[in-house]
Amino acid sequence: VWFGNVKTVLLTEEKSRRAILDAIRKGKMYAVRRSPEAELVLDYFEVIDPAGQILGGMGEEVTVSGAVRLRFGLSRSDDQATSVHFRLIRNGEVVKEEENTPLPLAIEVEEELPFDQKSYYRLIVQEDRHDSLVTNPVFVTRKQIQEGNRITTPAGSSESLL
């Protein structure tokens, strides 16, 4: 969807009315301000488990038991060498920021969250040419695992509920 030099990219499996409305409803989209020649491309922005399996992405709510692991990848539609300034935001605060990072890039970030608190992450990217990209958020809650009458934390320690 185009608005001047700003484009909303909908992440769908197919080009159908149903798929497009589903992507909008679920928040599976990002916005990019682009030059006429090319644009920044979000290759992926997702929460993963320790084995690297995808737990969720933009617009989704994910529950984790251990540290939050996020990964994202960026490139340009014309594959031209350039660099970007990116900020990974959690609840309005910058948790990772890098300048002059060459494209394409692949970043993985891990951080601890308090238990039972929903947080959101979003990515903001600025290219040297004043092009930019902003993701919709992914929501993450860290929960303790309850097994019978014991609560186990990811580090393996446990305490009795009795």
Side-chain angles (χ1 to χ4, degrees):
V1 181
W2 286 91
F3 297 101
N5 67 341
V6 176
K7 176 174 147 182
T8 301
V9 178
L10 302 173
L11 305 176
T12 64
E13 296 288 324
E14 60 187 56
K15 284 187 177 181
S16 71
R17 177 181 170 85
R18 186 180 57 79
I20 290 169
L21 291 174
D22 192 51
I24 292 169
R25 186 174 23 263
K26 292 180 178 176
K28 294 186 171 293
M29 65 186 101
Y30 65 93
V32 62
R33 186 177 65 205
R34 61 168 291 178
S35 63
E37 308 83 44
E39 65 192 54
L40 293 168
V41 175
L42 180 66
D43 299 317
Y44 51 89
F45 178 50
E46 53 208 14
V47 179
I48 58 172
D49 69 11
Q53 297 298 311
I54 300 169
L55 300 175
M58 288 180 292
E60 295 183 297
E61 293 192 26
V62 176
T63 301
V64 299
S65 59
V68 176
R69 296 180 71 200
L70 294 122
R71 67 179 174 197
F72 57 91
L74 294 162
S75 58
R76 268 181 58 94
S77 61
D78 63 358
D79 294 324
Q80 183 175 341
T82 188
S83 62
V84 295
H85 172 197
F86 74 81
R87 293 182 309 252
L88 180 63
I89 310 291
R90 178 184 22 87
N91 298 338
E93 302 290 325
V94 176
V95 294
K96 182 161 183 74
E97 180 173 24
E98 290 185 19
E99 294 187 34
N100 299 318
T101 306
L103 292 182
L105 69 82
I107 302 285
E108 189 169 311
V109 175
E110 182 174 314
E111 70 168 11
E112 296 290 330
L113 286 179
F115 287 108
D116 301 320
Q117 174 185 315
K118 183 187 284 188
S119 296
Y120 74 86
Y121 290 87
R122 81 168 56 241
L123 184 63
I124 300 174
V125 183
Q126 183 76 40
E127 187 183 5
D128 293 341
R129 298 185 180 130
H130 306 291
D131 293 350
S132 58
L133 181 149
V134 178
T135 68
N136 258 5
V138 58
F139 300 91
V140 181
T141 303
R142 183 176 178 207
K143 295 278 188 186
Q144 292 178 326
I145 302 168
Q146 186 170 344
E147 300 169 359
N149 63 350
R150 300 186 82 67
I151 294 177
T152 304
T153 62
S157 63
S158 62
E159 62 184 63
S160 176
L161 297 175
L162 302 176

